[in-house]
């Protein structure tokens, strides 16, 4: 079905990411329905796999709202890539993104393939980026959130984990208000109430103190920044932000309960 699949496999084996990826997209790796599928044949997600998939998901999210990328979204992505890749490779990545925006991808398939190789830590880091991307213009359109949810489920993220991460940055009621910027802290929740904290820990307020501690330990394993060391220091900072928010929620719950 895919005439250039040999080129893609050759890139994966050689490790020449940007050369192979540029050739892949610019060469028009399309099937008869103009839907693109990618195959990542690795046992573990690499930094290049992560970035490649991030660009594809970026295209899906920005097009789901008004069909094109607005300046605030472009600046958010550019700032993110500059921190990770540097100036030269960021320019290459933006060229790839421009080509991606002109094509239609089988997003569910891409998400599933990424999810089969990625750890929960990598998946949550990807989801965090997509939340930030959607929030850069100050509002999150329902279509954007539905696309992100589709990607999340395709990656194999549970609805509980999805809602927990959403609560970290948008509040437990799903109100997407807040203040946003193109920095690594691109969005800040205006909801810091105790119900939101329980949502982040994926438990009810009726949980016992022991259940609270157990839930925290479980969440800490998912969000610990050391789990994404292999993706680079700047990507690791995103996990550090999540971990900090988790700890803040846990501390507020402990204080409210009088826990040690």
């Amino acid at each position: 079905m895919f005439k250039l699949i040999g080129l893609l496999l050759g890139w994966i084996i050689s490790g020449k990411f940007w050369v192979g990826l540029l050739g892949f997209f610019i060469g028009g790796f399309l099937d008869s329905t103009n839907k693109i599928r990618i195959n990542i044949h690795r046992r573990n997600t690499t930094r290049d796999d992560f970035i490649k998939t991030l660009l594809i998901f970026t295209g899906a999210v920005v097009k789901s709202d008004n069909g094109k990328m607005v300046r605030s979204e472009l600046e958010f992505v550019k700032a993110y890539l500059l921190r990770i890749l540097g100036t030269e490779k960021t320019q290459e990545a933006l060229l790839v993104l421009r080509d991606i925006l002109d094509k239609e991808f089988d997003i569910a398939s891409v998400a599933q393939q990424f999810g089969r190789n990625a750890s929960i830590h990598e998946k949550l880091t990807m989801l965090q980026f997509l939340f930030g991307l959607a929030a850069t213009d100050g509002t999150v359109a329902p279509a954007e959130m539905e696309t992100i949810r589709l990607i999340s489920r395709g990656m194999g993220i549970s609805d509980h984990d999805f809602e927990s991460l959403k609560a970290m940055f948008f509040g437990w009621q799903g109100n997407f208000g807040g203040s946003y910027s193109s920095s690594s802290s691109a969005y800040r929740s205006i909801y810091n109430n105790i119900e939101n904290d329980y949502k982040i820990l994926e438990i009810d307020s009726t949980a016992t103190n022991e259940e609270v501690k157990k839930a925290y330990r479980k969440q800490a394993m998912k969000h610990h920044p050391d789990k994404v060391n292999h993706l680079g220091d700047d990507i690791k900072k995103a996990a550090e932000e999540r971990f900090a928010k988790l700890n803040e929620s846990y501390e507020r719950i402990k204080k409210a309960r009088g826990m040690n």
Side-chain angles (χ1 to χ4, degrees):
M1 181 180 295
F2 303 115
K3 295 180 180 179
L4 297 182
I5 194 158
L7 174 62
L8 177 59
L9 291 175
W11 157 65
I12 291 174
I13 295 171
S14 69
K16 295 179 180 179
F17 171 65
W18 293 110
V19 174
L21 187 56
L22 280 168
F24 169 69
F25 288 114
I26 296 173
F29 187 23
L30 302 172
D31 63 16
S32 59
T33 62
N34 201 35
K35 291 280 186 175
I36 300 177
R37 296 170 181 263
I38 64 167
N39 291 296
I40 301 173
H41 297 291
R42 295 184 186 274
R43 292 184 178 180
N44 299 301
T45 302
T46 68
R47 180 184 175 88
D48 289 345
D49 289 334
F50 184 88
I51 295 169
K52 174 186 64 176
T53 308
L54 180 146
L55 293 174
I56 296 173
F57 289 162
T58 293
V61 172
V62 301
K63 287 194 294 185
S64 67
D65 184 11
N66 56 17
K68 61 181 181 180
M69 175 173 275
V70 299
R71 179 175 292 276
S72 60
E73 293 168 334
L74 176 60
E75 291 301 318
F76 175 81
V77 174
K78 184 177 180 180
Y80 190 90
L81 293 174
L82 281 170
R83 291 193 301 272
I84 298 170
L85 301 175
T87 303
E88 182 179 350
K89 288 193 177 295
T90 291
Q91 293 304 316
E92 293 175 352
L94 292 176
L95 288 175
V96 172
L97 179 59
R98 185 177 65 180
D99 198 57
I100 287 172
L101 291 170
D102 290 333
K103 294 180 171 59
E104 294 296 327
F105 286 81
D106 186 338
I107 295 301
S109 175
V110 175
Q112 289 166 9
Q113 291 177 56
F114 178 77
R116 283 195 291 268
N117 293 275
S119 68
I120 183 61
H121 318 97
E122 295 157 351
K123 295 173 189 178
L124 290 173
T125 301
M126 182 70 76
L127 183 59
Q128 181 182 353
F129 168 83
L130 296 177
F131 279 153
L133 172 66
T136 54
D137 58 359
T139 59
V140 180
E144 290 178 308
M145 188 55 67
E146 284 306 307
T147 297
I148 295 173
R149 189 180 291 276
L150 171 69
I151 292 170
S152 177
R153 286 175 174 168
M155 290 191 295
I157 295 176
S158 71
D159 287 344
H160 288 300
D161 282 343
F162 181 90
E163 294 298 331
S164 171
L165 193 62
K166 189 172 74 171
M168 285 186 184
F169 299 104
F170 298 120
W172 72 285
Q173 292 177 312
N175 186 317
F176 307 136
S179 56
Y180 315 111
S181 72
S182 60
S183 67
S184 59
S185 299
Y187 37 89
R188 300 190 299 276
S189 171
I190 59 175
Y191 296 96
N192 287 318
N193 58 58
I194 199 71
E195 288 299 324
N196 200 62
D197 296 327
Y198 282 113
K199 188 77 172 179
I200 290 170
L201 263 66
E202 299 185 19
I203 54 175
D204 295 326
S205 57
T206 56
T208 66
N209 288 352
E210 285 304 312
E211 288 171 335
V212 169
K213 293 177 182 178
K214 182 178 179 180
Y216 169 73
R217 290 193 295 268
K218 182 179 179 180
Q219 292 299 91
M221 291 183 65
K222 293 179 186 176
H223 297 290
H224 201 288
D226 287 350
K227 300 296 185 178
V228 292
N229 275 336
H230 60 290
L231 297 179
D233 291 340
D234 288 296
I235 295 178
K236 180 181 176 182
K237 288 178 182 177
E240 290 173 349
E241 183 181 7
R242 296 199 314 273
F243 197 62
K245 286 181 178 291
L246 172 64
N247 284 325
E248 289 167 6
S249 291
Y250 183 51
E251 290 302 319
R252 282 192 292 266
I253 290 174
K254 284 171 56 180
K255 183 177 180 180
R257 288 171 170 248
M259 293 170 57
N260 295 324

